[in-house]
Amino acid sequence: MAEIRNYTMNFGPQHPAAHGVLRLVLELDGEVIQRADPHIGLLHRATEKLAEHKTYLQALPYMDRLDYVSMMSNEHAYCLAIEKLLEVEVPLRAQYIRVMFDEITRILNHLLWLGAHGLDIGAMTVFLYCFREREDLMDCYEAVSGARLHAAYYRPGGVYRDLPERMPQYQRSSLRSEEDVKRLNANRQGSVLDFIEDFANRFPRLVDEYETLLTDNRIWKQRTVGIGVVSPERAKALGFTGPMLRGSGVAWDLRKKQPYAVYDRLEFDIPVGVNGDCYDRYLVRVEEMRQSNRIVKQCVDWLRRNPGPVITGNHKIAPPSREEMKANMEELIHHFKLFTEGMHLPPGEAYAAVEHPKGEFGIYLVSDGANKPYRMKIRAAGFPHLAAMDELARGHMIADAVAIIGTMDIVFGEIDR
């Protein structure tokens, strides 16, 4: 009889399924995991410390680089914390734009998660399908902010600018014929809102395609059903939030329980799992994409009917328009002071949290009345999930460790920050 040997194995940091720079030290009994010890900190960039040496506006783009798949959701939490301290009124149109882009970001995040999770467990096609849709949503990011990923579109007091009246067009090149360009530009003839509406009408059918590939797929179910089970009590005790908590059957969502922006005016449902395994968390996230799509449609509808300002008129917080700045001395001074010295926040502290695609993402700001934060603490959504890796993986096979890391939807930008 062959003896069973105990190994200690490094899973990562250059393993493709480790989702970034995770060094997972596995203690094995044959192929069964006895202990899983995640070593983090390989992507630590001192974001919280850097923010103490930057003005409030200069620290904003760091938010995009935390969870770099849910860019605008991070910005939203940061802006909410600043607005709480300033007690500034954000125009309603800006709030609707923020909510619409929060939900577009949620869809973007879940598409990347679904593609990568599928690829980890051996479903190649889903990855290609998901990235096909991500491309359209990245174009929406690019249309409003000029960047496909690190948007820096939200501002304290609103958003950087209103939604453009025209979508960027594909140009003819050596790679694209005239017919290709015509086909690609067919739904780009109108405004950004037209393009987003067109996407929202197409998207439910596309989610059905992902479900056709996975939901009743025998291999997918064998790899996810009963893997990484968390009871509702344990999920709460471990500090889980987002789909990791809702997959265990706890209907906790900040958009419903502590509404911010205009979520209390919108209609959507909170999907909840039953068994708390990888399969239920998959179903929760897929249904979340459908609900986000519902929210996007409602926002598009409202934004069409209600034009208006998209950033506060208080020039101590938001800069005046370029025209005003070039015509008036007063506005020029405001502009100069804002971009050199930055705004001053009243002394105090504030915590603002958003329902980020991965869970509760919070920003805790302490101000001493200066133009820089005295202290900024980031509550990363994925951190408690990774901390529970040992409990979830114990007794499973090595192959299941991949499924468990996948189901957590881990991004190291925010965990190591």
Side-chain angles (χ1 to χ4, degrees):
M1 183 176 146
E3 60 176 301
I4 291 176
R5 293 169 54 198
N6 290 355
Y7 297 100
T8 302
M9 187 179 86
N10 263 334
F11 182 94
Q14 60 288 74
H15 192 288
H19 284 261
V21 284
L22 167 63
R23 175 171 174 237
L24 192 62
V25 181
L26 298 176
E27 288 180 15
L28 305 170
D29 181 6
E31 209 189 328
V32 179
I33 298 167
Q34 300 294 327
R35 184 163 169 268
D37 183 14
H39 285 211
I40 61 167
L42 294 162
L43 195 64
H44 174 61
R45 295 162 297 181
T47 305
E48 293 168 347
K49 196 68 191 166
L50 283 165
E52 292 173 24
H53 300 277
K54 296 266 185 284
T55 67
Y56 286 99
L57 194 60
Q58 285 170 337
L60 182 98
Y62 282 130
M63 297 301 121
D64 294 315
R65 290 155 178 82
L66 288 166
D67 178 350
Y68 40 78
V69 234
S70 319
M71 295 68 60
M72 291 200 197
S73 298
N74 306 335
E75 292 173 24
H76 200 166
Y78 180 70
C79 289
L80 284 176
I82 292 175
E83 284 152 10
K84 217 179 217 180
L85 278 169
L86 285 169
E87 295 177 355
V88 61
E89 194 62 45
V90 179
L92 200 55
R93 184 174 172 86
Q95 293 191 36
Y96 268 96
I97 291 173
R98 281 179 177 185
V99 166
M100 181 172 76
F101 272 97
D102 273 10
E103 296 309 316
I104 285 176
T105 304
R106 195 178 313 279
I107 294 172
L108 273 171
N109 181 89
H110 287 350
L111 285 174
L112 181 91
W113 165 82
L114 184 61
H117 189 31
L119 205 55
D120 289 346
I121 304 182
M124 177 80 200
T125 322
V126 195
F127 187 75
L128 303 170
Y129 277 38
C130 290
F131 269 69
R132 178 187 62 190
E133 274 70 70
R134 269 178 66 88
E135 211 51 46
D136 279 348
L137 294 176
M138 285 285 160
D139 288 344
C140 299
Y141 258 51
E142 194 174 3
V144 295
S145 74
R148 284 163 56 89
L149 280 167
H150 300 314
Y153 177 57
Y154 296 2
R155 292 282 187 279
V159 293
Y160 159 59
R161 61 171 185 181
D162 208 343
L163 302 169
E165 285 303 309
R166 190 159 167 71
M167 270 304 279
Q169 308 280 312
Y170 281 101
Q171 304 295 324
R172 194 178 159 211
S173 70
S174 55
L175 301 172
R176 293 195 191 93
S177 66
E178 201 70 58
E179 293 81 55
D180 286 343
V181 170
K182 253 198 189 119
R183 182 177 50 78
L184 290 166
N185 286 336
N187 55 359
R188 290 163 185 271
Q189 297 309 310
S191 66
V192 171
L193 277 177
D194 295 331
F195 183 75
I196 293 174
E197 186 174 36
D198 175 72
F199 177 86
N201 292 333
R202 282 184 294 130
F203 190 58
R205 195 187 74 249
L206 301 168
V207 179
D208 293 340
E209 288 182 11
Y210 314 145
E211 292 224 57
T212 307
L213 286 172
L214 295 178
T215 304
D216 290 322
N217 182 320
R218 193 174 72 220
I219 303 171
W220 181 257
K221 289 180 91 164
Q222 283 169 346
R223 291 300 305 272
T224 54
V225 174
I227 303 295
V229 179
V230 191
S231 69
E233 297 74 36
R234 276 313 284 158
K236 284 191 272 192
L238 290 164
F240 282 11
T241 49
M244 290 291 288
L245 182 61
R246 293 192 286 274
S248 295
V250 182
W252 177 261
D253 189 309
L254 295 182
R255 296 172 296 173
K256 289 279 194 199
K257 305 290 184 193
Q258 300 169 12
Y260 54 95
V262 288
Y263 278 113
D264 46 356
R265 298 168 176 232
L266 300 167
E267 283 190 22
F268 59 100
D269 300 319
I270 304 300
V272 173
V274 181
N275 306 312
D277 58 5
C278 291
Y279 187 67
D280 277 23
R281 291 188 282 268
Y282 152 75
L283 292 175
V284 163
R285 285 187 176 106
V286 168
E287 184 52 37
E288 271 188 20
M289 289 201 278
R290 297 185 190 276
Q291 296 303 326
S292 290
N293 201 52
R294 268 179 74 189
I295 296 174
V296 167
K297 278 184 169 172
Q298 292 169 60
C299 290
V300 168
D301 188 42
W302 190 93
L303 288 164
R304 274 194 198 292
R305 288 180 285 117
N306 299 278
V310 294
I311 195 158
T312 178
N314 180 348
H315 293 332
K316 295 246 181 298
I317 297 165
S321 71
R322 301 291 293 180
E323 293 82 38
E324 290 173 340
M325 185 265 285
K326 288 182 173 160
N328 290 328
M329 192 63 203
E330 196 77 2
E331 266 70 18
L332 179 66
I333 294 168
H334 273 308
H335 182 276
F336 178 75
K337 289 286 277 181
L338 255 180
F339 289 109
T340 51
E341 188 181 337
M343 61 184 124
H344 288 252
L345 264 61
E349 52 192 77
Y351 175 75
V354 297
E355 185 62 40
H356 182 278
K358 294 172 172 57
E360 178 182 331
F361 179 87
I363 297 280
Y364 175 65
L365 274 182
V366 181
S367 165
D368 56 359
N371 58 346
K372 301 179 175 78
Y374 173 75
R375 174 86 172 86
M376 182 175 84
K377 170 75 179 76
I378 297 160
R379 193 247 184 231
F383 192 82
H385 305 156
L386 184 63
M389 181 69 202
D390 180 43
E391 188 170 320
L392 268 69
R394 207 164 274 199
H396 283 303
M397 300 286 186
I398 296 177
D400 299 331
V402 174
I404 291 167
I405 291 171
T407 193
M408 287 177 179
D409 191 6
I410 279 167
V411 164
F412 271 86
E414 61 158 7
I415 288 174
D416 289 344
R417 44 189 190 283

